[in-house]
Amino acid sequence: GHHRDGDEAAALKAELAVYRDRGYRLFKIKVGADSVDRDRRRVEAALAVAGGGAALAVDGNGSPDRAITFARLEALASYKLAW
């Protein structure tokens, strides 16, 4: 679930679908490298494969500091992600 150029949503869905087809049921993607809107698009693309927030975690290590990371996580709270 790393950041990509181009049609990121399609690439993310394709990547996670490969793992799902191999039997994985829990997924983690990166967030925080750009805007909150981009994070939301990434989460929504991943949820299309994962099936629900309980099966998806996000990694905010791309955020420049703790306060920004927590603000982003708060913005994603409605998705009820695993972590």
Side-chain angles (χ1 to χ4, degrees), residues 1-62:
H2 289 276
H3 297 280
R4 295 184 170 79
D5 294 328
D7 188 352
E8 187 173 41
L12 184 58
K13 286 179 188 178
E15 177 186 353
L16 296 183
V18 168
Y19 292 120
R20 181 197 58 211
D21 294 347
R22 291 180 181 170
Y24 290 89
R25 296 294 173 252
L26 301 173
F27 306 91
K28 181 182 82 167
I29 64 170
K30 302 283 186 183
V31 296
D34 197 2
S35 69
V36 172
D37 288 336
R38 182 179 181 190
D39 290 345
R40 284 188 184 116
R41 287 190 303 271
R42 291 177 55 73
V43 166
E44 290 170 6
L47 288 173
V49 176
L56 181 63
V58 294
D59 179 347
N61 71 354

